[in-house]
Amino acid sequence: MLTTRPRGTADILPGQVEKWQYVEGVAAQVFRDYGYREIRTPIFEHTELFIRGVGEDTDIVEKEMYTFQDRGGRSITLRPENTAAVVRAYLENKLYAGPQPVKLYYSGPMFRYDRPQAGRYRQFHQFGVEVFGSHHPAVDAEVMALVMDFYSRLGLNDLELHVNSVGCPNCRPGVRKALQEYFRPSLEELCPNCKNRYERNPLRILDCKTAKCAELAEAAPTTVDCLCPDCERHFLQVQQHLRDLGVPFTLNKSLVRGLDYYTHTAFEIMAPDIGAQSSVGGGGRYNGLVEACGGTSIPGIGAALGIERIILAMENRGLIPAIKAGPDVFLATAGDDPAREGFRLLAELRAAGVASDMDYQGRSLKAQMKYAAKVEALYTIILGAEEMDRGCVSLRDMTAGSQREVARQDVVKVLKELLNGCCD
Ligand code: AMP
């Protein structure tokens, strides 16, 4: 127990973490390019927020939340997703009072008590964007374009964007009626959850992962067949904007987000090669969510992308660039006085922004040189009694295998120049 992490969690070790930092760096740049600002909300929230914001009828709320009572007797939940929390923060901090739309992004861990398998964890990480305050179909297209641009900047050019419209509360009675008529003859074959959903929210049946329900849902009527004129116009405009931006997409009529506050556009991005859990991201418009969370009627749209699955898809395609993580400079010393002088020099190098390290294990000079090669240092400084007497160090270029002497007082400057690629 003490040396085992909880099921469904992962340690991101040095070697792996650099891949995360690389992906996070690209994400931050894309978000900036599209005018999004970062928001950081708590890892835990009041349980009620997710019940309202994610929806009572969802798998997340029904069976996947990490909920507990804190010492003050409050019901707290580790966030299973972050849209509800961002909506809460938008309302609590009155971001609606500033210029609209408000475009936000986040990145961080989410928690769902699901059955772990490849690409599915109990603690996983998402990037997400949310836009509040605009109905404009160009915003729907922008969010999808941003997501696809991000993947493509990582080299993931072969992912599939599936798009659908789930309509609005005006279209829902028609969808509801059509679905109830369709499922009525097979009501007994539905799973117990879906039997309940049949009356309460038949659209949710289309989201069910149970094999029998999924099979029955295959030929079910779709939301796009029941769109009201406004929703139909909005959806056509979204598609036109996507075409204008040159973003390829597939219409997928079976894509649903079966809750009332999800409206209009729904989308999902698939990487077919990463296994059963092939969805690398998804999102949609939620014009009813801000109101459901206690605000006024403010439209919104967002997307959430799974970081683990992005990295998996990149690894499968050999897209992770070589990332240098070790020190640029290793300082090898021989003898007590050179070690002390080396320690001072190390501090100077670091203060000048040169990533450097030295030996603390009492290794021989030869072993230190071996170690420097192993950690892929670009340069090694060799400092022995002889060098100290002459007021210099030996500087070894580890790539070229060449060595030269440099005056002690010039070492930092010389290395800075060499590492910045501007030797003179
Ligand atoms: P969702 O919030 O369910 O719409 O999921 C958005 C994205 O988060 C998915 O497309 C996945 O890439 C990722 N994701 C969702 N659940 C998990 C999980 N349990 N483990 C890893 N990634 C997940």
Side-chain angles (χ1 to χ4, degrees):
M1 264 312 238
L2 279 181
T3 52
T4 318
R5 59 181 183 265
R7 200 162 129 73
T9 65
D11 298 312
I12 308 168
L13 299 176
Q16 185 71 4
V17 84
E18 290 79 12
K19 300 177 187 174
W20 284 68
Q21 290 166 342
Y22 167 73
V23 171
E24 284 159 0
V26 173
Q29 185 60 50
V30 179
F31 297 142
R32 249 196 313 278
D33 290 349
Y34 283 75
Y36 289 70
R37 306 272 305 269
E38 185 176 2
I39 182 166
R40 300 185 187 192
T41 57
I43 300 287
F44 58 85
E45 297 273 351
H46 294 294
T47 302
E48 190 57 29
L49 175 69
F50 298 116
I51 295 179
R52 287 285 207 89
V54 179
E56 257 175 316
D57 280 338
T58 57
D59 284 351
I60 289 182
V61 170
E62 274 171 359
K63 46 190 190 205
E64 296 174 2
M65 294 207 299
Y66 279 89
T67 297
F68 58 95
Q69 244 189 22
D70 73 6
R71 288 170 193 273
R74 300 169 199 90
S75 182
I76 294 293
T77 294
L78 300 183
R79 62 186 189 190
E81 57 96 62
N82 211 29
T83 301
V86 175
V87 169
R88 198 257 320 127
Y90 175 81
L91 291 171
E92 184 167 352
N93 299 288
K94 300 189 173 53
L95 301 185
Y96 50 80
Q100 305 295 301
V102 173
K103 298 163 76 170
L104 302 168
Y105 80 85
Y106 60 81
S107 159
M110 310 295 157
F111 307 85
R112 292 183 198 171
Y113 191 81
D114 205 343
R115 201 144 42 85
Q117 60 179 82
R120 189 160 74 198
Y121 308 92
R122 290 182 173 168
Q123 175 175 330
F124 61 99
H125 298 75
Q126 288 182 337
F127 295 122
V129 293
E130 314 290 350
V131 186
F132 298 99
S134 175
H135 289 279
H136 204 296
V139 176
D140 305 41
E142 178 188 282
V143 170
M144 289 185 268
L146 175 158
V147 168
M148 298 315 282
D149 189 3
F150 167 56
Y151 291 131
S152 126
R153 289 194 207 189
L154 295 173
L156 294 166
N157 293 308
D158 58 339
L159 305 184
E160 295 166 15
L161 170 63
H162 291 212
V163 187
N164 194 20
S165 173
V166 297
C168 71
N170 291 334
C171 328
R172 291 291 154 85
V175 181
R176 188 185 161 84
K177 194 159 159 271
L179 286 171
Q180 283 179 332
E181 269 168 25
Y182 173 82
F183 283 113
R184 190 167 302 131
S186 32
L187 191 53
E188 284 314 307
E189 294 171 63
L190 295 174
C191 75
N193 273 344
C194 284
K195 274 186 197 135
N196 277 331
R197 289 164 176 163
Y198 176 84
E199 273 308 328
R200 297 225 310 252
N201 187 351
L203 198 53
R204 281 282 300 134
I205 302 174
L206 306 182
D207 251 353
C208 185
K209 290 177 199 124
T210 314
K212 187 68 197 170
C213 298
E215 187 195 316
L216 287 170
E218 262 171 34
T222 64
T223 49
V224 263
D225 299 327
C226 310
L227 294 183
C228 69
D230 279 352
C231 284
E232 197 172 340
R233 195 175 326 113
H234 183 92
F235 193 36
L236 288 173
Q237 286 173 342
V238 170
Q239 295 176 59
Q240 190 53 53
H241 285 304
L242 282 175
R243 282 189 208 99
D244 290 346
L245 291 173
V247 177
F249 62 94
T250 309
L251 277 183
N252 182 344
K253 291 182 172 189
S254 63
L255 196 63
V256 284
R257 308 209 128 203
L259 291 169
D260 282 352
Y261 33 79
Y262 289 111
T263 61
H264 304 85
T265 312
F267 60 93
E268 191 147 9
I269 302 96
M270 317 291 237
D273 62 301
I274 62 167
Q277 304 300 316
S278 62
S279 163
V280 288
R285 190 167 264 291
Y286 47 74
N287 287 355
L289 181 59
V290 178
E291 203 169 352
C293 292
T296 51
S297 172
I298 293 171
I301 176 166
L305 321 177
I307 306 185
E308 285 82 357
R309 292 188 198 169
I310 293 172
I311 291 177
L312 201 60
M314 290 176 72
E315 284 172 342
N316 280 358
R317 293 165 174 74
L319 289 172
I320 308 274
I323 303 165
K324 180 164 172 13
D328 289 334
V329 176
F330 191 80
L331 214 152
T333 61
D336 289 345
D337 285 345
R340 276 188 67 196
E341 176 57 16
F343 200 53
R344 275 192 292 268
L345 175 54
L346 187 66
E348 285 174 40
L349 286 164
R350 288 171 172 172
V354 175
S356 39
D357 219 338
M358 71 183 286
D359 175 64
Y360 297 121
Q361 305 301 106
R363 289 185 179 89
S364 69
L365 188 60
K366 197 171 156 209
Q368 290 180 54
M369 296 303 291
K370 256 193 171 161
Y371 179 80
K374 196 165 160 206
V375 297
E376 296 176 0
L378 299 174
Y379 296 93
T380 302
I381 295 172
I382 301 155
L383 184 58
E386 206 183 301
E387 281 90 354
M388 271 189 73
D389 286 346
R390 293 211 310 279
C392 68
V393 303
S394 295
L395 184 61
R396 187 172 180 80
D397 180 330
M398 301 294 282
T399 324
S402 57
Q403 199 163 308
R404 63 172 156 139
E405 283 198 349
V406 177
R408 166 68 181 84
Q409 72 265 24
D410 295 339
V411 189
V412 176
K413 185 169 156 272
V414 167
L415 274 168
K416 271 201 88 165
E417 283 172 359
L418 284 170
L419 290 166
N420 291 335
C422 56
C423 342
D424 49 20

